[in-house]
Amino acid sequence: MIDNPYSSAVIAWFGTHARDLPWRADDASPWSILVSEIMLQQTPVVRVLPAWEAWMRRWPTPSALAAEPAGEAVRMWNRLGYPRRALNLHACAREITERHGGEVPSEHAALLALPGVGSYTAAAVASFAFGGRHAILDTNVRRVLARAHTGIEYPPKATTRAETRLAESLLPEDPATAVRWGAAVMELGALVCTARSPECSACPIADRCAWRAAGHPAHSGPPRVGQKYAGTDRQVRGRLLAVLRASPAPVHKPALDAVWDDPVQRERALDALVADGLVDPLDDGRYALPG
DNA sequence: AACGCGTGGCC
DNA sequence: TGGCCAAGCGT
């Protein structure tokens, strides 16, 4: 049976080059896979590894996390970044406990309904935890397909219908093969077909790569604008939350005021954290992680 | 449909 | 050095 022009080579490469990641173990639970996927959103594997280990040791099941206040999740999140993900994971745990009998749902639609679970994460959990046949389209896969199939260096900024259709058209028929393909092509993007320095000499589909065949033409689309960080509200939010994480007790306002000079920006950032549910303003004027 | 949202490592 | 990038999501 012919699946897609790349699948057998990529899957074979995966067999010998896949990283030994703990959430890929045979006995990894659906919950542990969901936790890994949320942590991996915009965060490199090397930083997720220790955080995932600690998290799973403390909260091996959704109900274990659901039994604790959300602030404990935010504190445990430490400096992984995008701390609303900790809130999302806690809300996931509560929903799974209350509405799914304590078991992570296996259906794509049910997963998609969980907070912080979007199209990619739902497909990844349905596929990797439950063996479902779903197209995996993350930043790694998008880059591999842009190069190998479309012949361009980088995919568009936002996922297009054409990319989704392409990924679905490449999905092997057999579910187990589809799962393997998804993990394998993602790994290829992470290890070989990287954004800055692709190692075409180590690529199992170099001889079928449209971008390489065209002589590696440079990116010709609109300039890819990066995000600033220094001086932004995000930096202020990060500092404010760091103070709260470090303190076992609620903190007084002056402790928060000390982290940023500009009072307008400081207040705006604090208000936003409260609005996001990441900070709890107490009646006595102090501030705490959410209860 | 752009934009906001953390953090750290790399060349 | 500083911009770029890292298994996205929600609005």
Side-chain angles (χ1 to χ4, degrees):
Chain A
M1 172 172 73
I2 304 302
D3 279 325
N4 73 50
Y6 319 107
S7 61
S8 57
V10 175
I11 288 172
W13 170 86
F14 186 66
T16 51
H17 292 82
R19 289 167 293 181
D20 185 21
L21 302 172
W23 44 84
R24 285 184 184 156
D26 289 336
D27 63 346
S29 68
W31 168 243
S32 77
I33 291 172
L34 174 59
V35 171
S36 78
E37 291 299 342
I38 299 282
M39 286 184 170
L40 286 163
Q41 290 170 0
Q42 300 285 280
T43 306
V45 166
V46 287
R47 288 178 51 212
V48 166
L49 241 16
W52 181 88
E53 298 281 2
W55 190 282
M56 294 313 301
R57 203 153 44 235
R58 179 163 176 187
W59 297 308
T61 63
S63 63
L65 175 56
E68 298 223 29
E72 282 307 294
V74 175
R75 195 186 302 279
M76 193 72 174
W77 199 254
N78 199 17
R79 303 187 66 82
L80 254 197
Y82 292 146
R84 62 178 49 168
R85 292 182 293 166
L87 239 34
N88 287 337
L89 216 30
H90 182 265
C92 278
R94 291 245 163 119
E95 269 198 49
I96 290 166
T97 301
E98 291 162 16
R99 301 181 38 203
H100 296 284
E103 302 292 335
V104 175
S106 60
E107 294 302 310
H108 186 278
L111 289 161
L112 197 54
L114 295 173
V117 175
S119 169
Y120 161 74
T121 303
V125 174
S127 180
F128 303 146
F130 297 104
R133 183 177 176 275
H134 300 278
I136 302 296
L137 198 53
D138 75 325
T139 188
N140 291 305
V141 179
R142 293 182 64 217
R143 187 174 54 250
V144 171
L145 296 186
R147 291 175 180 171
H149 207 90
T150 311
I152 58 177
E153 185 176 15
Y154 296 117
K157 275 201 288 280
T159 307
T160 62
R161 287 291 295 275
E163 287 182 275
T164 303
R165 269 188 275 107
L166 174 60
E168 285 170 353
S169 77
L170 294 176
L171 197 57
E173 285 301 323
D174 170 54
T177 308
V179 171
R180 194 81 175 154
W181 157 251
V185 67
M186 202 165 39
E187 190 80 336
L188 184 64
L191 297 184
V192 173
C193 193
T194 62
R196 286 181 194 155
S197 53
E199 275 189 88
C200 300
S201 63
C203 180
I205 56 172
D207 58 345
R208 294 180 194 68
C209 179
W211 183 52
R212 181 166 178 268
H216 298 120
H219 178 71
S220 64
R224 300 147 48 83
V225 295
Q227 314 200 51
K228 290 187 194 41
Y229 180 64
T232 64
D233 287 9
R234 277 195 292 178
Q235 184 177 23
V236 187
R237 289 165 57 109
R239 289 193 183 181
L240 291 170
L241 217 48
V243 171
L244 290 165
R245 273 197 312 262
S247 169
V251 304
H252 294 278
K253 190 73 186 321
L256 295 176
D257 291 342
V259 306
W260 200 259
D261 284 337
D262 178 356
V264 174
Q265 189 177 19
R266 204 174 59 218
E267 292 308 312
R268 185 173 65 224
L270 182 55
D271 287 348
L273 285 172
V274 172
D276 288 348
L278 282 162
V279 172
D280 197 4
L282 303 182
D283 291 337
D284 64 7
R286 292 183 300 168
Y287 293 84
L289 294 178

Short mmCIF file of all heavy atoms in Angstrom, two decimals, chain A residues 54-85:
data_model
loop_
_atom_site.label_atom_id
_atom_site.label_comp_id
_atom_site.label_asym_id
_atom_site.label_seq_id
_atom_site.Cartn_x
_atom_site.Cartn_y
_atom_site.Cartn_z
N ALA A 54 8.62 16.81 37.38
CA ALA A 54 8.17 17.29 38.69
C ALA A 54 6.64 17.33 38.76
O ALA A 54 6.03 16.95 39.77
CB ALA A 54 8.76 18.67 38.96
N TRP A 55 6.04 17.80 37.69
CA TRP A 55 4.58 17.92 37.64
C TRP A 55 3.92 16.54 37.77
O TRP A 55 2.97 16.35 38.54
CB TRP A 55 4.18 18.56 36.32
CG TRP A 55 2.75 18.97 36.21
CD1 TRP A 55 1.69 18.16 35.95
CD2 TRP A 55 2.22 20.29 36.35
NE1 TRP A 55 0.53 18.90 35.90
CE2 TRP A 55 0.83 20.21 36.14
CE3 TRP A 55 2.79 21.55 36.60
CZ2 TRP A 55 -0.01 21.33 36.19
CZ3 TRP A 55 1.97 22.66 36.65
CH2 TRP A 55 0.58 22.54 36.45
N MET A 56 4.42 15.58 37.01
CA MET A 56 3.81 14.24 37.02
C MET A 56 4.04 13.52 38.35
O MET A 56 3.22 12.71 38.77
CB MET A 56 4.35 13.40 35.86
CG MET A 56 3.97 13.89 34.49
SD MET A 56 2.22 14.31 34.32
CE MET A 56 1.46 12.75 34.72
N ARG A 57 5.14 13.84 39.00
CA ARG A 57 5.41 13.24 40.31
C ARG A 57 4.39 13.77 41.31
O ARG A 57 3.87 13.05 42.15
CB ARG A 57 6.84 13.59 40.74
CG ARG A 57 7.45 12.66 41.74
CD ARG A 57 8.97 12.64 41.65
NE ARG A 57 9.57 13.96 41.51
CZ ARG A 57 10.40 14.30 40.52
NH1 ARG A 57 10.72 13.42 39.60
NH2 ARG A 57 10.90 15.51 40.45
N ARG A 58 4.10 15.06 41.21
CA ARG A 58 3.19 15.65 42.19
C ARG A 58 1.73 15.39 41.87
O ARG A 58 0.92 15.17 42.76
CB ARG A 58 3.44 17.17 42.23
CG ARG A 58 2.52 17.88 43.20
CD ARG A 58 3.03 19.26 43.54
NE ARG A 58 2.09 19.96 44.40
CZ ARG A 58 2.21 21.23 44.75
NH1 ARG A 58 3.25 21.92 44.32
NH2 ARG A 58 1.32 21.80 45.52
N TRP A 59 1.40 15.45 40.57
CA TRP A 59 0.00 15.27 40.16
C TRP A 59 -0.10 14.21 39.08
O TRP A 59 -0.25 14.51 37.89
CB TRP A 59 -0.58 16.60 39.65
CG TRP A 59 -0.61 17.66 40.70
CD1 TRP A 59 -1.16 17.57 41.95
CD2 TRP A 59 -0.09 19.00 40.61
NE1 TRP A 59 -1.01 18.75 42.64
CE2 TRP A 59 -0.36 19.65 41.82
CE3 TRP A 59 0.56 19.72 39.59
CZ2 TRP A 59 0.01 20.97 42.07
CZ3 TRP A 59 0.92 21.03 39.83
CH2 TRP A 59 0.65 21.65 41.06
N PRO A 60 -0.04 12.93 39.47
CA PRO A 60 -0.03 11.84 38.49
C PRO A 60 -1.36 11.64 37.78
O PRO A 60 -1.41 10.94 36.76
CB PRO A 60 0.34 10.61 39.32
CG PRO A 60 0.19 11.00 40.74
CD PRO A 60 0.13 12.48 40.85
N THR A 61 -2.42 12.23 38.32
CA THR A 61 -3.74 12.07 37.70
C THR A 61 -4.44 13.43 37.63
O THR A 61 -4.12 14.34 38.40
CB THR A 61 -4.64 11.13 38.52
OG1 THR A 61 -4.86 11.73 39.82
CG2 THR A 61 -3.99 9.76 38.69
N PRO A 62 -5.45 13.56 36.77
CA PRO A 62 -6.22 14.82 36.73
C PRO A 62 -6.87 15.13 38.08
O PRO A 62 -6.87 16.29 38.51
CB PRO A 62 -7.28 14.53 35.65
CG PRO A 62 -6.67 13.51 34.77
CD PRO A 62 -5.81 12.66 35.67
N SER A 63 -7.40 14.11 38.75
CA SER A 63 -8.10 14.38 40.01
C SER A 63 -7.15 14.89 41.08
O SER A 63 -7.55 15.67 41.96
CB SER A 63 -8.85 13.14 40.49
OG SER A 63 -7.95 12.10 40.77
N ALA A 64 -5.90 14.46 41.04
CA ALA A 64 -4.92 14.94 42.03
C ALA A 64 -4.71 16.45 41.87
O ALA A 64 -4.66 17.19 42.85
CB ALA A 64 -3.59 14.20 41.86
N LEU A 65 -4.61 16.89 40.64
CA LEU A 65 -4.45 18.33 40.41
C LEU A 65 -5.74 19.09 40.69
O LEU A 65 -5.73 20.17 41.27
CB LEU A 65 -4.00 18.59 38.97
CG LEU A 65 -3.90 20.05 38.55
CD1 LEU A 65 -2.98 20.86 39.47
CD2 LEU A 65 -3.41 20.18 37.10
N ALA A 66 -6.86 18.48 40.32
CA ALA A 66 -8.16 19.14 40.51
C ALA A 66 -8.44 19.42 41.98
O ALA A 66 -9.18 20.35 42.31
CB ALA A 66 -9.27 18.28 39.91
N ALA A 67 -7.83 18.64 42.85
CA ALA A 67 -8.08 18.79 44.29
C ALA A 67 -7.33 19.98 44.89
O ALA A 67 -7.55 20.32 46.04
CB ALA A 67 -7.68 17.50 45.02
N GLU A 68 -6.45 20.59 44.12
CA GLU A 68 -5.66 21.69 44.65
C GLU A 68 -6.09 23.03 44.07
O GLU A 68 -6.69 23.08 43.00
CB GLU A 68 -4.18 21.46 44.31
CG GLU A 68 -3.64 20.18 44.93
CD GLU A 68 -2.28 20.38 45.52
OE1 GLU A 68 -1.98 21.52 45.96
OE2 GLU A 68 -1.51 19.41 45.53
N PRO A 69 -5.78 24.11 44.76
CA PRO A 69 -6.10 25.44 44.20
C PRO A 69 -5.28 25.74 42.95
O PRO A 69 -4.15 25.23 42.80
CB PRO A 69 -5.73 26.41 45.34
CG PRO A 69 -4.87 25.65 46.27
CD PRO A 69 -5.20 24.19 46.11
N ALA A 70 -5.84 26.55 42.08
CA ALA A 70 -5.17 26.87 40.82
C ALA A 70 -3.80 27.50 41.04
O ALA A 70 -2.87 27.31 40.26
CB ALA A 70 -6.05 27.80 39.98
N GLY A 71 -3.68 28.26 42.14
CA GLY A 71 -2.41 28.93 42.42
C GLY A 71 -1.25 27.97 42.58
O GLY A 71 -0.10 28.32 42.28
N GLU A 72 -1.54 26.77 43.06
CA GLU A 72 -0.47 25.77 43.20
C GLU A 72 0.08 25.38 41.84
O GLU A 72 1.27 25.11 41.68
CB GLU A 72 -0.98 24.55 43.96
CG GLU A 72 -1.06 24.77 45.45
CD GLU A 72 0.26 25.27 46.03
OE1 GLU A 72 1.24 24.53 46.01
OE2 GLU A 72 0.30 26.44 46.47
N ALA A 73 -0.82 25.31 40.84
CA ALA A 73 -0.37 25.00 39.48
C ALA A 73 0.49 26.13 38.93
O ALA A 73 1.52 25.90 38.31
CB ALA A 73 -1.57 24.75 38.57
N VAL A 74 0.08 27.36 39.20
CA VAL A 74 0.85 28.52 38.72
C VAL A 74 2.22 28.55 39.41
O VAL A 74 3.24 28.83 38.77
CB VAL A 74 0.09 29.83 38.99
CG1 VAL A 74 0.94 31.04 38.61
CG2 VAL A 74 -1.23 29.84 38.23
N ARG A 75 2.26 28.23 40.68
CA ARG A 75 3.54 28.21 41.40
C ARG A 75 4.45 27.10 40.85
O ARG A 75 5.63 27.31 40.60
CB ARG A 75 3.31 28.01 42.89
CG ARG A 75 4.51 28.32 43.76
CD ARG A 75 4.29 27.96 45.22
NE ARG A 75 3.16 28.63 45.81
CZ ARG A 75 3.18 29.90 46.27
NH1 ARG A 75 4.28 30.59 46.18
NH2 ARG A 75 2.11 30.43 46.79
N MET A 76 3.87 25.95 40.64
CA MET A 76 4.63 24.80 40.13
C MET A 76 5.14 25.06 38.71
O MET A 76 6.15 24.51 38.30
CB MET A 76 3.72 23.57 40.14
CG MET A 76 4.42 22.27 39.94
SD MET A 76 5.41 21.80 41.39
CE MET A 76 5.94 20.17 40.89
N TRP A 77 4.41 25.88 37.98
CA TRP A 77 4.78 26.19 36.60
C TRP A 77 6.15 26.84 36.54
O TRP A 77 6.87 26.72 35.56
CB TRP A 77 3.72 27.10 35.98
CG TRP A 77 3.72 27.12 34.49
CD1 TRP A 77 4.18 28.14 33.70
CD2 TRP A 77 3.24 26.10 33.61
NE1 TRP A 77 4.00 27.82 32.38
CE2 TRP A 77 3.44 26.57 32.29
CE3 TRP A 77 2.67 24.84 33.79
CZ2 TRP A 77 3.08 25.82 31.17
CZ3 TRP A 77 2.32 24.10 32.69
CH2 TRP A 77 2.53 24.59 31.40
N ASN A 78 6.48 27.56 37.62
CA ASN A 78 7.79 28.20 37.74
C ASN A 78 8.07 29.11 36.55
O ASN A 78 7.21 29.91 36.19
CB ASN A 78 8.87 27.13 37.92
CG ASN A 78 10.13 27.70 38.51
OD1 ASN A 78 10.14 28.80 39.07
ND2 ASN A 78 11.22 26.98 38.36
N ARG A 79 9.19 28.98 35.87
CA ARG A 79 9.54 29.91 34.80
C ARG A 79 9.40 29.28 33.42
O ARG A 79 10.16 29.62 32.51
CB ARG A 79 10.97 30.41 35.00
CG ARG A 79 11.18 31.08 36.35
CD ARG A 79 12.54 31.72 36.47
NE ARG A 79 12.69 32.84 35.55
CZ ARG A 79 12.25 34.07 35.79
NH1 ARG A 79 11.61 34.32 36.91
NH2 ARG A 79 12.43 35.02 34.91
N LEU A 80 8.43 28.41 33.25
CA LEU A 80 8.24 27.78 31.94
C LEU A 80 7.75 28.79 30.90
O LEU A 80 7.92 28.60 29.71
CB LEU A 80 7.22 26.64 32.04
CG LEU A 80 7.71 25.21 31.99
CD1 LEU A 80 6.54 24.30 31.68
CD2 LEU A 80 8.81 25.03 30.97
N GLY A 81 7.11 29.85 31.36
CA GLY A 81 6.58 30.84 30.43
C GLY A 81 5.11 30.62 30.11
O GLY A 81 4.58 29.52 30.26
N TYR A 82 4.46 31.70 29.65
CA TYR A 82 3.02 31.66 29.36
C TYR A 82 2.25 30.96 30.48
O TYR A 82 1.66 29.89 30.29
CB TYR A 82 2.75 30.96 28.03
CG TYR A 82 3.24 31.73 26.82
CD1 TYR A 82 3.72 31.06 25.70
CD2 TYR A 82 3.21 33.11 26.79
CE1 TYR A 82 4.16 31.76 24.58
CE2 TYR A 82 3.65 33.82 25.69
CZ TYR A 82 4.13 33.14 24.60
OH TYR A 82 4.57 33.83 23.50
N PRO A 83 2.24 31.56 31.69
CA PRO A 83 1.67 30.88 32.86
C PRO A 83 0.17 30.64 32.78
O PRO A 83 -0.36 29.86 33.57
CB PRO A 83 2.02 31.84 34.00
CG PRO A 83 2.18 33.17 33.35
CD PRO A 83 2.76 32.89 32.01
N ARG A 84 -0.50 31.27 31.83
CA ARG A 84 -1.93 30.94 31.70
C ARG A 84 -2.11 29.47 31.33
O ARG A 84 -3.17 28.89 31.54
CB ARG A 84 -2.59 31.84 30.64
CG ARG A 84 -2.04 31.69 29.24
CD ARG A 84 -2.78 32.58 28.28
NE ARG A 84 -2.89 33.96 28.78
CZ ARG A 84 -3.29 34.99 28.05
NH1 ARG A 84 -3.64 34.81 26.79
NH2 ARG A 84 -3.37 36.20 28.56
N ARG A 85 -1.03 28.86 30.81
CA ARG A 85 -1.11 27.43 30.52
C ARG A 85 -1.28 26.61 31.79
O ARG A 85 -1.90 25.55 31.79
CB ARG A 85 0.14 26.97 29.75
CG ARG A 85 0.24 27.54 28.35
CD ARG A 85 1.47 27.02 27.63
NE ARG A 85 2.71 27.50 28.22
CZ ARG A 85 3.90 26.99 27.96
NH1 ARG A 85 4.02 25.97 27.13
NH2 ARG A 85 4.98 27.49 28.52
#
